[in-house]
Amino acid sequence: MAYRQGACLEELCPVCGDKVSGYHYGLLTCESCKGFFKRTVQNSKKYTCVENQQCRIDKTQRKRCPFCRFQKCLNVGMRLEAVRADRMRGGRNKFGPMYKRDRALKQQRNSFIQNRRFRLDSSSLLASTSQQSDPPPVAICYSLTTNQPPSLSTLLPSALPAANQYQCTPSSDWTIKSENSNNCACLSGSAAGSYIHSDDPHSTPFSTQGPRMPQLVMEFLRCDPDESQLQDKITTRLQQVHGDHDTFSLMCVMADETLCSIVEWARASIFFKQLEVSDQMKLLHHCWSELLLLDIISRQVLYGKEGSLLLVTRQEVELSDIICHADPSLATLVLQGQELIQRFQILKADRQEFVCIKFLILFNPDVKELEDRGFVESVQEQVEGALLEYTLISSPQYLGRFAHLLLCLSELRSLSALAEDYLYRRHLNSQITCNNLLIEMLHAKHSWR
DNA sequence: CTAGCCTTGAAG
DNA sequence: CTTCAAGGCTAG
Protein backbone atom coordinates (compact mmCIF):
# COMPACT_ATOMS: atom_id res chain seq x y z
CA MET A 1 0.00 0.00 0.00
CA ALA A 2 1.71 3.14 -1.11
CA TYR A 3 1.25 5.89 1.37
CA ARG A 4 -0.72 8.72 -0.18
CA GLN A 5 1.76 11.22 -1.48
CA GLY A 6 1.20 14.84 -0.64
CA ALA A 7 0.37 14.22 2.95
CA CYS A 8 3.97 13.49 3.75
CA LEU A 9 6.37 14.05 0.94
CA GLU A 10 9.70 12.63 1.92
CA GLU A 11 9.08 11.56 5.45
CA LEU A 12 11.67 9.24 6.94
CA CYS A 13 11.29 6.69 9.68
CA PRO A 14 12.25 8.34 12.96
CA VAL A 15 13.80 5.12 14.16
CA CYS A 16 16.05 4.08 11.28
CA GLY A 17 15.58 6.65 8.52
CA ASP A 18 14.10 4.19 6.04
CA LYS A 19 11.08 5.05 3.92
CA VAL A 20 7.88 5.49 5.85
CA SER A 21 5.03 3.14 4.95
CA GLY A 22 2.28 4.66 7.08
CA TYR A 23 1.25 5.22 10.65
CA HIS A 24 2.24 2.33 12.87
CA TYR A 25 1.80 2.16 16.63
CA GLY A 26 1.45 5.88 17.08
CA LEU A 27 3.52 7.47 14.37
CA LEU A 28 4.86 7.30 10.86
CA THR A 29 7.45 4.54 10.62
CA CYS A 30 8.87 2.18 8.04
CA GLU A 31 7.56 -1.33 7.47
CA SER A 32 10.52 -3.03 9.10
CA CYS A 33 10.41 -1.06 12.34
CA LYS A 34 6.69 -1.67 12.48
CA GLY A 35 7.30 -5.41 12.26
CA PHE A 36 10.16 -5.28 14.69
CA PHE A 37 8.10 -3.39 17.24
CA LYS A 38 5.20 -5.78 16.85
CA ARG A 39 7.35 -8.90 17.28
CA THR A 40 9.08 -7.47 20.28
CA VAL A 41 5.93 -6.50 22.10
CA GLN A 42 3.83 -9.51 21.13
CA ASN A 43 6.47 -11.96 22.18
CA SER A 44 7.66 -9.93 25.17
CA LYS A 45 11.18 -10.11 23.91
CA LYS A 46 14.06 -9.05 26.11
CA TYR A 47 17.23 -7.90 24.44
CA THR A 48 20.59 -6.87 25.78
CA CYS A 49 23.08 -4.46 24.36
CA VAL A 50 26.68 -5.58 24.10
CA GLU A 51 27.87 -2.01 23.80
CA ASN A 52 26.91 0.92 25.99
CA GLN A 53 23.26 1.08 25.00
CA GLN A 54 23.90 3.95 22.66
CA CYS A 55 24.13 2.15 19.33
CA ARG A 56 23.37 4.20 16.29
CA ILE A 57 20.27 2.92 14.56
CA ASP A 58 20.03 3.48 10.83
CA LYS A 59 18.80 1.56 7.85
CA THR A 60 21.97 -0.45 7.43
CA GLN A 61 22.70 -1.12 11.11
CA ARG A 62 19.23 -1.54 12.54
CA LYS A 63 19.58 -5.33 12.77
CA ARG A 64 22.76 -5.06 14.81
CA CYS A 65 21.34 -4.18 18.20
CA PRO A 66 17.66 -4.95 18.84
CA PHE A 67 17.98 -3.55 22.35
CA CYS A 68 18.89 -0.08 21.14
CA ARG A 69 16.45 -0.35 18.26
CA PHE A 70 13.56 -1.07 20.59
CA GLN A 71 14.76 1.66 22.93
CA LYS A 72 14.70 4.08 20.05
CA CYS A 73 11.23 2.92 19.05
CA LEU A 74 9.99 3.86 22.50
CA ASN A 75 11.97 7.08 22.58
CA VAL A 76 10.54 8.39 19.35
CA GLY A 77 7.06 7.62 20.66
CA MET A 78 5.90 4.22 19.39
CA ARG A 79 3.05 3.05 21.57
CA LEU A 80 3.00 -0.27 23.38
CA GLU A 81 -0.79 0.03 23.79
CA ALA A 82 -1.25 -0.01 20.03
CA VAL A 83 -0.11 -3.63 19.91
CA ARG A 84 -3.25 -5.63 20.53
CA ALA A 85 -3.27 -8.12 23.36
CA ASP A 86 -6.03 -10.13 21.73
CA ARG A 87 -4.29 -10.06 18.34
CA MET A 88 -7.52 -9.02 16.68
CA ARG A 89 -6.99 -8.12 13.04
CA GLY A 90 -8.28 -5.24 11.00
CA GLY A 91 -10.44 -2.40 12.15
CA ARG A 92 -9.35 0.80 13.81
CA ASN A 93 -8.04 1.69 17.24
CA LYS A 94 -8.23 4.77 19.43
CA PHE A 95 -5.29 6.32 17.61
CA GLY A 96 -7.34 6.90 14.47
CA PRO A 97 -8.30 10.50 15.25
CA MET A 98 -4.74 11.26 16.28
CA TYR A 99 -3.41 10.05 12.93
CA LYS A 100 -5.99 12.11 11.15
CA ARG A 101 -5.08 15.24 13.03
CA ASP A 102 -1.39 14.72 12.51
CA ARG A 103 -1.96 14.23 8.82
CA ALA A 104 -3.98 17.44 8.56
CA LEU A 105 -1.30 19.33 10.46
CA LYS A 106 1.41 18.08 8.14
CA GLN A 107 -0.59 18.91 5.07
CA GLN A 108 -1.17 22.47 6.19
CA ARG A 109 2.45 22.82 7.11
CA ASN A 110 3.55 21.63 3.69
CA SER A 111 1.22 23.89 1.81
CA PHE A 112 2.33 26.89 3.82
CA ILE A 113 5.93 26.04 3.24
CA GLN A 114 5.31 25.63 -0.46
CA ASN A 115 3.72 29.05 -0.55
CA ARG A 116 6.68 30.52 1.23
CA ARG A 117 8.58 31.49 -1.87
CA PHE A 118 5.64 33.38 -3.26
CA ARG A 119 5.04 35.13 0.00
CA LEU A 120 8.65 36.17 0.35
CA ASP A 121 8.70 37.48 -3.17
CA SER A 122 5.71 39.67 -2.58
CA SER A 123 6.97 40.91 0.74
CA SER A 124 10.33 41.90 -0.65
CA LEU A 125 8.47 43.64 -3.44
CA LEU A 126 6.60 45.60 -0.81
CA ALA A 127 9.79 46.50 0.96
CA SER A 128 11.58 47.57 -2.17
CA THR A 129 8.90 50.03 -3.15
CA SER A 130 9.70 51.89 0.00
CA GLN A 131 13.38 52.10 -0.72
CA GLN A 132 15.17 54.11 -3.33
CA SER A 133 17.16 51.04 -4.07
CA ASP A 134 18.61 51.53 -7.51
CA PRO A 135 20.85 54.55 -7.31
CA PRO A 136 23.38 53.96 -4.57
CA PRO A 137 22.92 56.36 -1.68
CA VAL A 138 24.95 59.49 -1.21
CA ALA A 139 28.63 58.85 -1.52
CA ILE A 140 29.72 59.20 2.00
CA CYS A 141 33.21 58.05 2.64
CA TYR A 142 32.92 56.01 5.70
CA SER A 143 35.06 52.98 5.78
CA LEU A 144 34.49 50.46 8.45
CA THR A 145 38.03 49.28 8.14
CA THR A 146 39.59 52.62 8.92
CA ASN A 147 37.58 52.87 12.08
CA GLN A 148 38.05 50.71 15.06
CA PRO A 149 36.91 47.16 14.41
CA PRO A 150 33.16 47.13 14.02
CA SER A 151 31.49 46.28 17.22
CA LEU A 152 29.48 43.43 15.77
CA SER A 153 32.57 41.47 14.88
CA THR A 154 33.90 41.96 18.34
CA LEU A 155 30.63 40.84 19.79
CA LEU A 156 30.65 37.71 17.70
CA PRO A 157 33.34 35.15 18.40
CA SER A 158 36.14 35.30 15.86
CA ALA A 159 36.13 31.61 15.16
CA LEU A 160 34.08 28.57 15.82
CA PRO A 161 35.40 25.04 16.02
CA ALA A 162 34.54 23.35 12.77
CA ALA A 163 33.16 20.39 14.62
CA ASN A 164 30.49 22.65 15.93
CA GLN A 165 28.76 22.68 12.58
CA TYR A 166 25.40 21.00 12.69
CA GLN A 167 25.80 19.86 16.21
CA CYS A 168 23.74 20.58 19.18
CA THR A 169 24.06 19.62 22.76
CA PRO A 170 25.62 16.21 23.03
CA SER A 171 22.81 15.02 25.22
CA SER A 172 20.13 15.44 22.63
CA ASP A 173 20.05 13.25 19.60
CA TRP A 174 19.14 15.61 16.81
CA THR A 175 18.81 13.76 13.63
CA ILE A 176 19.80 15.83 10.69
CA LYS A 177 18.83 14.44 7.38
CA SER A 178 20.42 15.97 4.37
CA GLU A 179 18.15 16.30 1.43
CA ASN A 180 19.48 15.39 -1.99
CA SER A 181 23.05 16.38 -2.60
CA ASN A 182 23.08 19.89 -1.25
CA ASN A 183 23.94 20.46 2.34
CA CYS A 184 20.47 21.49 3.30
CA ALA A 185 20.32 20.11 6.76
CA CYS A 186 16.80 19.41 7.69
CA LEU A 187 15.56 18.39 11.06
CA SER A 188 12.36 16.60 10.50
CA GLY A 189 10.17 15.09 13.09
CA SER A 190 7.89 12.29 12.16
CA ALA A 191 4.90 12.88 14.32
CA ALA A 192 3.36 16.16 15.27
CA GLY A 193 5.73 18.17 17.38
CA SER A 194 8.64 15.83 17.36
CA TYR A 195 11.32 18.29 16.41
CA ILE A 196 13.60 16.96 19.03
CA HIS A 197 14.29 13.30 19.29
CA SER A 198 16.06 12.88 22.51
CA ASP A 199 16.73 9.95 24.70
CA ASP A 200 14.89 11.72 27.42
CA PRO A 201 11.80 9.63 28.05
CA HIS A 202 9.89 12.78 28.98
CA SER A 203 10.17 14.20 25.53
CA THR A 204 7.41 12.11 24.06
CA PRO A 205 6.94 13.49 20.59
CA PHE A 206 3.31 12.67 20.49
CA SER A 207 0.65 13.17 23.04
CA THR A 208 -2.89 11.97 22.97
CA GLN A 209 -4.05 13.96 25.92
CA GLY A 210 -4.34 17.71 25.66
CA PRO A 211 -2.52 20.18 23.43
CA ARG A 212 1.18 20.59 23.87
CA MET A 213 3.69 23.10 22.70
CA PRO A 214 6.07 22.20 19.88
CA GLN A 215 9.48 21.42 21.30
CA LEU A 216 11.15 24.01 19.15
CA VAL A 217 8.91 26.75 20.54
CA MET A 218 9.76 25.60 24.04
CA GLU A 219 13.44 25.78 23.23
CA PHE A 220 13.00 29.30 21.82
CA LEU A 221 11.20 30.41 24.95
CA ARG A 222 13.85 28.91 27.16
CA CYS A 223 16.55 30.99 25.47
CA ASP A 224 14.56 34.18 25.16
CA PRO A 225 15.97 36.91 27.37
CA ASP A 226 13.98 37.70 30.44
CA GLU A 227 12.29 41.09 30.10
CA SER A 228 13.07 42.31 33.61
CA GLN A 229 16.74 41.33 33.38
CA LEU A 230 17.02 43.16 30.09
CA GLN A 231 15.32 46.11 31.68
CA ASP A 232 17.81 46.26 34.55
CA LYS A 233 20.79 45.89 32.29
CA ILE A 234 19.78 48.58 29.87
CA THR A 235 18.66 50.93 32.61
CA THR A 236 22.05 50.76 34.31
CA ARG A 237 23.85 51.31 31.04
CA LEU A 238 21.66 54.29 30.29
CA GLN A 239 22.41 55.80 33.65
CA GLN A 240 26.09 55.69 32.79
CA VAL A 241 25.52 57.76 29.68
CA HIS A 242 23.39 60.56 31.22
CA GLY A 243 24.08 64.20 30.36
CA ASP A 244 22.79 66.54 27.72
CA HIS A 245 20.83 64.09 25.64
CA ASP A 246 17.59 65.01 24.01
CA THR A 247 14.86 62.42 23.77
CA PHE A 248 15.84 61.30 20.28
CA SER A 249 19.44 60.57 21.14
CA LEU A 250 18.38 58.84 24.32
CA MET A 251 16.18 56.63 22.19
CA CYS A 252 19.16 55.96 19.96
CA VAL A 253 21.27 54.95 22.93
CA MET A 254 18.44 52.69 23.98
CA ALA A 255 18.29 51.22 20.49
CA ASP A 256 22.02 50.69 20.57
CA GLU A 257 21.81 48.85 23.87
CA THR A 258 18.90 46.80 22.64
CA LEU A 259 20.91 45.89 19.57
CA CYS A 260 23.70 44.63 21.79
CA SER A 261 21.27 42.44 23.64
CA ILE A 262 19.82 41.21 20.35
CA VAL A 263 23.30 40.18 19.20
CA GLU A 264 23.88 38.44 22.51
CA TRP A 265 20.59 36.64 22.17
CA ALA A 266 21.39 35.52 18.63
CA ARG A 267 24.83 34.31 19.64
CA ALA A 268 23.42 32.09 22.31
CA SER A 269 20.58 30.83 20.17
CA ILE A 270 20.03 27.37 18.87
CA PHE A 271 20.85 27.07 15.13
CA PHE A 272 22.53 30.47 15.01
CA LYS A 273 25.58 29.31 16.87
CA GLN A 274 26.04 26.58 14.32
CA LEU A 275 26.65 29.12 11.58
CA GLU A 276 29.99 30.47 10.47
CA VAL A 277 30.69 33.91 11.87
CA SER A 278 30.59 35.38 8.38
CA ASP A 279 27.05 34.16 7.92
CA GLN A 280 26.11 35.33 11.39
CA MET A 281 27.27 38.82 10.50
CA LYS A 282 25.39 38.81 7.22
CA LEU A 283 22.16 37.73 8.84
CA LEU A 284 22.40 40.28 11.63
CA HIS A 285 23.42 43.10 9.32
CA HIS A 286 20.37 42.33 7.25
CA CYS A 287 17.74 42.01 9.93
CA TRP A 288 18.79 44.20 12.83
CA SER A 289 16.15 46.84 12.24
CA GLU A 290 13.43 44.24 11.92
CA LEU A 291 14.46 42.68 15.20
CA LEU A 292 14.67 46.06 16.85
CA LEU A 293 11.20 46.99 15.64
CA LEU A 294 9.81 43.63 16.69
CA ASP A 295 11.32 44.16 20.11
CA ILE A 296 9.50 47.47 20.47
CA ILE A 297 6.25 46.15 19.06
CA SER A 298 6.17 42.98 21.12
CA ARG A 299 6.74 45.01 24.27
CA GLN A 300 3.71 47.15 23.50
CA VAL A 301 1.53 44.16 22.67
CA LEU A 302 2.56 42.09 25.68
CA TYR A 303 2.98 44.72 28.36
CA GLY A 304 2.08 48.15 27.02
CA LYS A 305 -1.04 50.18 27.33
CA GLU A 306 -2.90 52.26 24.86
CA GLY A 307 -1.85 55.81 24.15
CA SER A 308 1.72 55.44 25.32
CA LEU A 309 4.97 53.85 24.34
CA LEU A 310 6.53 51.48 26.84
CA LEU A 311 10.31 51.60 26.73
CA VAL A 312 12.72 48.81 27.67
CA THR A 313 13.43 50.77 30.78
CA ARG A 314 9.78 50.47 31.79
CA GLN A 315 9.34 54.21 31.30
CA GLU A 316 6.20 55.25 29.53
CA VAL A 317 6.12 58.04 27.00
CA GLU A 318 2.83 59.57 25.89
CA LEU A 319 2.30 58.96 22.19
CA SER A 320 0.86 62.43 21.77
CA ASP A 321 4.08 63.87 23.17
CA ILE A 322 6.15 61.90 20.73
CA ILE A 323 4.00 62.87 17.78
CA CYS A 324 4.09 66.58 18.45
CA HIS A 325 7.81 66.68 19.08
CA ALA A 326 8.70 64.50 16.13
CA ASP A 327 9.41 65.68 12.63
CA PRO A 328 6.79 64.67 10.04
CA SER A 329 8.66 61.55 8.86
CA LEU A 330 9.13 60.27 12.36
CA ALA A 331 5.53 61.00 13.24
CA THR A 332 4.39 58.97 10.24
CA LEU A 333 6.62 56.11 11.28
CA VAL A 334 5.24 56.20 14.81
CA LEU A 335 1.69 56.14 13.53
CA GLN A 336 2.41 53.26 11.19
CA GLY A 337 4.04 51.44 14.06
CA GLN A 338 0.93 52.05 16.10
CA GLU A 339 -1.21 50.46 13.39
CA LEU A 340 1.01 47.42 13.32
CA ILE A 341 0.85 47.14 17.10
CA GLN A 342 -2.92 47.16 16.86
CA ARG A 343 -2.87 44.37 14.33
CA PHE A 344 -0.81 42.23 16.65
CA GLN A 345 -3.10 43.19 19.52
CA ILE A 346 -6.21 42.14 17.64
CA LEU A 347 -4.56 38.79 17.04
CA LYS A 348 -3.58 38.68 20.71
CA ALA A 349 -0.13 37.52 19.67
CA ASP A 350 1.70 35.92 22.56
CA ARG A 351 5.32 35.48 23.60
CA GLN A 352 5.55 32.11 21.91
CA GLU A 353 4.55 33.61 18.60
CA PHE A 354 6.84 36.61 18.92
CA VAL A 355 9.78 34.42 19.70
CA CYS A 356 9.11 32.34 16.59
CA ILE A 357 8.83 35.49 14.52
CA LYS A 358 12.20 36.59 15.88
CA PHE A 359 13.73 33.44 14.45
CA LEU A 360 11.90 33.85 11.16
CA ILE A 361 13.41 37.31 10.90
CA LEU A 362 16.89 36.17 11.83
CA PHE A 363 17.00 33.17 9.51
CA ASN A 364 16.25 34.91 6.27
CA PRO A 365 17.47 32.82 3.33
CA ASP A 366 17.10 35.81 1.01
CA VAL A 367 20.18 37.42 2.50
CA LYS A 368 22.83 37.74 -0.20
CA GLU A 369 25.99 35.69 -0.37
CA LEU A 370 25.29 33.31 2.47
CA GLU A 371 27.82 30.51 2.76
CA ASP A 372 25.24 28.09 3.98
CA ARG A 373 21.91 29.14 2.57
CA GLY A 374 20.65 25.58 2.73
CA PHE A 375 20.92 25.55 6.47
CA VAL A 376 19.26 28.95 6.84
CA GLU A 377 16.45 27.78 4.58
CA SER A 378 15.92 24.63 6.56
CA VAL A 379 15.83 26.54 9.84
CA GLN A 380 13.32 28.96 8.38
CA GLU A 381 11.13 26.07 7.30
CA GLN A 382 11.33 24.41 10.67
CA VAL A 383 10.46 27.60 12.48
CA GLU A 384 7.51 28.16 10.18
CA GLY A 385 6.41 24.62 10.85
CA ALA A 386 6.68 25.08 14.59
CA LEU A 387 4.82 28.39 14.51
CA LEU A 388 2.07 26.95 12.36
CA GLU A 389 1.75 24.00 14.64
CA TYR A 390 1.68 26.22 17.69
CA THR A 391 -1.06 28.41 16.26
CA LEU A 392 -3.11 25.36 15.33
CA ILE A 393 -2.75 23.96 18.81
CA SER A 394 -3.27 27.21 20.71
CA SER A 395 -6.19 28.49 18.67
CA PRO A 396 -7.59 25.62 16.62
CA GLN A 397 -10.80 27.56 16.13
CA TYR A 398 -8.94 30.13 14.07
CA LEU A 399 -7.12 28.50 11.18
CA GLY A 400 -6.02 31.72 9.54
CA ARG A 401 -3.99 32.85 12.49
CA PHE A 402 -0.67 31.68 11.09
CA ALA A 403 -1.24 33.48 7.80
CA HIS A 404 -2.20 36.65 9.64
CA LEU A 405 0.96 36.54 11.69
CA LEU A 406 3.02 36.19 8.53
CA LEU A 407 1.18 39.12 7.04
CA CYS A 408 2.04 41.19 10.10
CA LEU A 409 5.65 40.10 9.69
CA SER A 410 5.70 41.29 6.13
CA GLU A 411 4.32 44.66 7.22
CA LEU A 412 6.88 44.82 9.96
CA ARG A 413 9.56 44.30 7.35
CA SER A 414 8.45 47.18 5.20
CA LEU A 415 8.07 49.45 8.19
CA SER A 416 11.52 48.59 9.46
CA ALA A 417 12.95 49.41 6.05
CA LEU A 418 11.33 52.84 6.26
CA ALA A 419 12.60 53.33 9.79
CA GLU A 420 16.08 52.30 8.76
CA ASP A 421 16.08 54.81 5.92
CA TYR A 422 14.92 57.46 8.31
CA LEU A 423 17.70 56.69 10.76
CA TYR A 424 20.24 56.60 7.97
CA ARG A 425 19.18 60.04 6.78
CA ARG A 426 19.49 61.45 10.25
CA HIS A 427 22.83 59.79 10.59
CA LEU A 428 24.03 61.46 7.41
CA ASN A 429 23.01 64.74 9.00
CA SER A 430 25.19 63.80 11.94
CA GLN A 431 22.21 63.60 14.20
CA ILE A 432 23.07 60.19 15.56
CA THR A 433 26.18 60.17 17.62
CA CYS A 434 28.11 57.76 19.75
CA ASN A 435 26.12 54.66 18.98
CA ASN A 436 28.68 52.23 17.72
CA LEU A 437 26.60 49.24 16.93
CA LEU A 438 23.68 51.22 15.60
CA ILE A 439 25.94 53.15 13.26
CA GLU A 440 27.73 50.05 12.12
CA MET A 441 24.42 48.45 11.31
CA LEU A 442 23.23 51.52 9.45
CA HIS A 443 26.31 51.38 7.30
CA ALA A 444 26.38 47.67 6.77
CA LYS A 445 23.46 47.49 4.42
CA HIS A 446 24.37 50.60 2.50
CA SER A 447 27.91 49.47 1.88
CA TRP A 448 26.55 46.32 0.30
CA ARG A 449 24.73 47.77 -2.60
C1' DC B 1 15.01 -12.86 12.99
C1' DT B 2 14.10 -9.77 9.41
C1' DA B 3 11.25 -7.29 6.32
C1' DG B 4 8.28 -7.11 2.39
C1' DC B 5 3.85 -8.34 1.04
C1' DC B 6 -0.85 -10.09 2.30
C1' DT B 7 -5.37 -10.26 4.79
C1' DT B 8 -8.60 -8.36 7.80
C1' DG B 9 -12.33 -5.45 9.43
C1' DA B 10 -14.06 -1.14 12.05
C1' DA B 11 -14.50 3.58 10.95
C1' DG B 12 -15.73 7.01 7.79
C1' DC C 1 -18.45 1.30 -0.69
C1' DT C 2 -13.18 2.75 0.45
C1' DT C 3 -9.49 3.48 3.67
C1' DC C 4 -5.58 1.99 6.13
C1' DA C 5 -3.46 0.35 10.42
C1' DA C 6 -3.72 -3.61 12.72
C1' DG C 7 -2.00 -8.79 12.56
C1' DG C 8 -0.24 -12.78 9.57
C1' DC C 9 2.76 -15.17 6.43
C1' DT C 10 7.09 -16.61 4.58
C1' DA C 11 11.60 -16.26 1.62
C1' DG C 12 15.83 -15.36 2.70
Side-chain angles (χ1 to χ4, degrees), chain A residues 288-289 293 330 333 336 413-425 442:
Chain A
W288 65 273
S289 62
L293 183 58
L330 183 57
L333 287 175
Q336 284 178 293
R413 286 198 158 118
S414 28
L415 182 56
S416 90
L418 291 175
E420 206 176 312
D421 278 356
Y422 172 80
L423 285 177
Y424 190 69
R425 282 200 304 276
L442 279 172

Side-chain angles (χ1 to χ4, degrees), chain A residues 177-340:
Chain A
K177 294 137 187 166
S178 49
E179 291 189 339
N180 308 325
S181 56
N182 64 19
N183 61 348
C184 158
C186 177
L187 304 171
S188 89
S190 156
S194 68
Y195 291 91
I196 298 173
H197 298 149
S198 79
D199 295 335
D200 175 6
H202 298 292
S203 74
T204 49
F206 215 114
S207 167
T208 38
Q209 62 278 356
R212 56 186 295 285
M213 208 188 292
Q215 300 247 16
L216 206 50
V217 179
M218 282 172 64
E219 170 67 19
F220 290 166
L221 273 188
R222 200 176 59 77
C223 299
D224 204 44
D226 176 64
E227 175 76 9
S228 63
Q229 274 177 19
L230 200 67
Q231 205 174 80
D232 295 344
K233 204 171 78 184
I234 293 184
T235 309
T236 22
R237 288 206 205 152
L238 278 174
Q239 280 160 355
Q240 292 160 0
V241 189
H242 80 284
D244 53 339
H245 286 292
D246 60 277
T247 316
F248 179 74
S249 46
L250 257 177
M251 297 279 221
C252 286
V253 177
M254 219 175 283
D256 199 52
E257 292 299 333
T258 310
L259 273 180
C260 289
S261 73
I262 286 173
V263 175
E264 278 171 34
W265 159 78
R267 272 192 61 187
S269 285
I270 181 172
F271 301 132
F272 193 78
K273 51 186 173 190
Q274 293 170 246
L275 284 166
E276 298 282 351
V277 177
S278 57
D279 276 353
Q280 294 183 335
M281 302 253 313
K282 283 173 197 151
L283 290 181
L284 281 172
H285 277 154
H286 187 272
C287 74
W288 65 273
S289 62
E290 295 168 14
L291 287 175
L292 207 51
L293 183 58
L294 184 73
D295 181 76
I296 297 168
I297 286 178
S298 62
R299 183 166 300 108
Q300 312 313 311
V301 176
L302 297 175
Y303 314 105
K305 63 175 191 223
E306 213 170 324
S308 63
L309 185 75
L310 179 62
L311 306 178
V312 222
T313 52
R314 207 182 273 167
Q315 293 159 291
E316 282 178 32
V317 189
E318 287 295 316
L319 269 177
S320 49
D321 282 357
I322 300 178
I323 303 281
C324 53
H325 288 103
D327 60 76
S329 321
L330 183 57
T332 312
L333 287 175
V334 171
L335 288 174
Q336 284 178 293
Q338 222 37 47
E339 280 172 30
L340 193 48

Side-chain angles (χ1 to χ4, degrees), chain A residues 409-433:
Chain A
L409 170 57
S410 132
E411 281 178 33
L412 183 142
R413 286 198 158 118
S414 28
L415 182 56
S416 90
L418 291 175
E420 206 176 312
D421 278 356
Y422 172 80
L423 285 177
Y424 190 69
R425 282 200 304 276
R426 288 197 66 156
H427 168 58
L428 293 183
N429 295 330
S430 310
Q431 290 173 310
I432 298 175
T433 47

